[in-house]
Amino acid sequence: VFGFIIGIKKKDIVPFYYILWLTIFPFLIDIIFPFNKIENLYEMRTYSSFYIFIMLVYQISISKNIFKQFVKENTYIIIALGLIFIYFIFLSLFRNVGFNYLIYLRRNISHVLLFMYLTICIPKNKSIFYFLFITFVIQIFIGLFQEMNFFQFSFNIHATGIVKFLTGAMTGNNLYADLLTVICIIFIHECLNLNNEYIRSKRIFYIGTIVLSIFLIFDSGIRMALLSFIIGIGIIIYNYNKKIFLGVLAFSLLIYIYSGFFYNIIFTGEIVYDWNASSNSQRQSGILNIFQGWDYVQYSTLAYSFILISEYFVLNPFFGSGLYFKANGYDGIISYTTANQTDVTFALYITEFGIIGLI
C-alpha cells in the first residue's frame, strides 16, 4: 500500500521501490519475521510483479499522450509478449503441464514490465547513480557481516551445499556475486572517467568500496562471477589504455604458464571439487581446474548446460524437450524442484522451449 501511495504521488520512485522489493526488503523482513523456508520469500517477491503491473497500467491510463508514447516505444515488446503467451498456452495443452508455463511467465515478466515503465518514466541520472551506489554499499555491508556469520537468512542457517553462505540481501551466493560483479564493473568504469561529476570529489571512497566488493566476489565462491569480473575488467582496461591492457595480458599469460607450479604448491595438485573445498575462496580454484578437462568440468555447472544442449535440446531443437515440469525433470539434474544456477538459465530455456521460444 505504501508503494502504491508514493508511486502515485511521485512516479520516479516506482522503479527504485520495485528493485528494493526484490533486493533489500526481503532481507529486512526476514530479520523481523523469519521466512524459515525460501519458498515463502519467493511468494513474497512475486507480488512485485503485481506492483509494477498496476503502476504501469495507472501511468498509461491517466493520459492519452502517455498511452501513445507507451505503445510507440513498446510495440515490438507487446507483440512478443502476445506471441509468447500464445506459444506457452499451446505448449501447456500439448504437454499437459497445467498452468506451470503461465506461472513461469508471470514470475519472470516483471523485469520486462519495469523496462516498459522506464520507456515512459525515466528517473534522473543523478537519482539512478546514487540509488545504485547506496544499494551497492548496503549489499557490501551485509556481506561483510555475513563473513562473521551474522545476518544470515533464516532458511540458510541450517542449510548445506556450500562452505559459507555469502548472500548479502539476495537469496544465494550466485545471485549476490552476480549483482556485485555488475555494479562493481560499472563503478570501476566510472572511476576511470575523470569527467564524472558524481565521483570526482570522493574517488578514494568509491575505490575503497570497489576493493571490498572484489573481496566479496572472490570469497563468494562463485567462479562464473569471478570469471565475468575478470573479463569485464579486461574490456575496460583495453578501452581505457591498450598498452596497459597488453601489459596485463602478458603478465596474466606468465601467471598461466607457471600456474601449474603455484597450483601444486597451494592445492597439492589435486582437483578440488565443490564438496571437498574447505572454503569458498578455495572453491574458486575451479577456474584453474577447468584446464584439467572433462574430469573436472563434468562436476561443474558448465556441464549442466552442456548436458542440456547435447542430450536434450538436440532431440527437439525447434519446440524444446519440455521436461522441466515433469516428475524427474532432466534426468534428475535439473527440474522445477531443484535449485537451478543462474549460469544454466539460457541452456535451460532454449532446451525447454526450443528455438521458437527463444525467437
Side-chain angles (χ1 to χ4, degrees):
V1 175
F2 177 74
F4 289 129
I5 293 173
I6 62 172
I8 291 172
K9 289 186 175 181
K10 197 170 183 180
K11 60 183 181 181
D12 293 353
I13 295 292
V14 172
F16 299 138
Y17 190 85
Y18 165 80
I19 294 172
L20 288 174
W21 197 328
L22 295 178
T23 59
I24 303 293
F25 289 168
F27 175 80
L28 298 177
I29 292 172
D30 186 67
I31 293 175
I32 304 171
F33 305 104
F35 288 109
N36 295 321
K37 294 182 180 180
I38 196 170
E39 290 80 8
N40 296 330
L41 182 146
Y42 289 155
E43 184 64 27
M44 177 263 181
R45 286 174 56 179
T46 57
Y47 289 104
S48 62
S49 301
F50 295 109
Y51 173 73
I52 192 67
F53 174 75
I54 292 173
M55 296 312 301
L56 178 62
V57 171
Y58 172 77
Q59 289 299 329
I60 63 178
S61 63
I62 60 176
S63 170
K64 185 181 293 186
N65 291 332
I66 294 179
F67 178 77
K68 289 180 179 179
Q69 180 187 352
F70 170 78
V71 174
K72 179 181 179 182
E73 297 288 342
N74 298 284
T75 301
Y76 293 112
I77 296 178
I78 294 171
I79 294 173
L81 287 176
L83 290 175
I84 198 69
F85 180 74
I86 295 171
Y87 183 60
F88 275 17
I89 290 178
F90 166 75
L91 290 181
S92 297
L93 295 173
F94 184 75
R95 294 173 178 172
N96 193 29
V97 295
F99 293 100
N100 284 321
Y101 282 163
L102 297 181
I103 293 173
Y104 175 85
L105 179 62
R106 177 180 68 83
R107 289 178 175 176
N108 293 278
I109 200 175
S110 61
H111 304 322
V112 179
L113 297 177
L114 173 64
F115 175 82
M116 297 169 78
Y117 186 93
L118 290 173
T119 61
I120 58 174
C121 180
I122 303 176
K124 296 179 181 178
N125 290 339
K126 185 177 181 179
S127 299
I128 295 174
F129 180 87
Y130 284 119
F131 174 80
L132 193 63
F133 183 71
I134 292 171
T135 302
F136 189 41
V137 170
I138 292 173
Q139 293 284 1
I140 288 173
F141 269 106
I142 295 174
L144 293 175
F145 276 112
Q146 289 174 343
E147 283 281 355
M148 299 178 284
N149 294 319
F150 293 109
F151 296 126
Q152 293 286 355
F153 271 107
S154 58
F155 45 78
N156 283 339
I157 294 176
H158 303 294
T160 59
I162 195 166
V163 180
K164 180 197 299 179
F165 281 96
L166 197 61
T167 66
M170 310 301 285
T171 55
N173 287 35
N174 52 354
L175 292 174
Y176 181 55
D178 291 343
L179 176 70
L180 290 183
T181 298
V182 172
I183 301 179
C184 186
I185 289 175
I186 291 173
F187 279 107
I188 289 175
H189 178 270
E190 292 304 313
C191 281
L192 292 174
N193 180 9
L194 301 179
N195 296 321
N196 189 313
E197 59 180 309
Y198 308 129
I199 287 181
R200 190 183 306 154
S201 60
K202 301 177 181 178
R203 198 174 302 275
I204 298 299
F205 177 70
Y206 286 103
I207 292 174
T209 307
I210 289 169
V211 171
L212 290 175
S213 69
I214 294 173
F215 163 72
L216 292 171
I217 291 169
F218 180 79
D219 205 41
S220 69
I222 305 302
R223 292 156 298 208
M224 191 60 70
L226 181 60
L227 188 60
S228 300
F229 176 78
I230 293 171
I231 293 172
I233 294 301
I235 294 173
I236 290 174
I237 294 175
Y238 178 81
N239 291 329
Y240 182 72
N241 190 309
K242 292 180 176 58
K243 291 182 179 179
I244 295 178
F245 172 78
L246 292 174
V248 171
L249 181 62
F251 179 75
S252 300
L253 289 174
L254 185 64
I255 292 296
Y256 169 72
I257 292 172
Y258 289 99
S259 63
F261 172 74
F262 292 114
Y263 179 68
N264 286 332
I265 292 176
I266 299 172
F267 299 114
T268 67
E270 298 178 358
I271 297 176
V272 181
Y273 300 107
D274 294 354
W275 51 86
N276 292 329
S278 60
S279 66
N280 282 357
S281 56
Q282 190 183 56
R283 197 171 180 268
Q284 296 287 15
S285 66
I287 293 179
L288 291 177
N289 289 335
I290 197 171
F291 297 115
Q292 300 274 354
W294 183 250
D295 286 342
Y296 175 80
V297 173
Q298 64 178 317
Y299 298 106
S300 71
T301 53
L302 289 174
Y304 293 171
S305 295
F306 178 78
I307 291 171
L308 285 171
I309 298 297
S310 63
E311 296 186 15
Y312 295 100
F313 170 73
V314 295
L315 297 178
N316 195 343
F318 292 102
F319 293 97
S321 298
L323 299 178
Y324 183 68
F325 289 104
K326 301 297 182 181
N328 199 40
Y330 290 97
D331 199 25
I333 299 174
I334 294 177
S335 72
Y336 72 99
T337 61
T338 61
N340 302 308
Q341 290 78 4
T342 52
D343 47 319
V344 185
T345 301
F346 175 77
L348 175 59
Y349 185 89
I350 195 173
T351 301
E352 181 71 14
F353 302 114
I355 295 174
I356 294 178
L358 182 64
I359 294 175

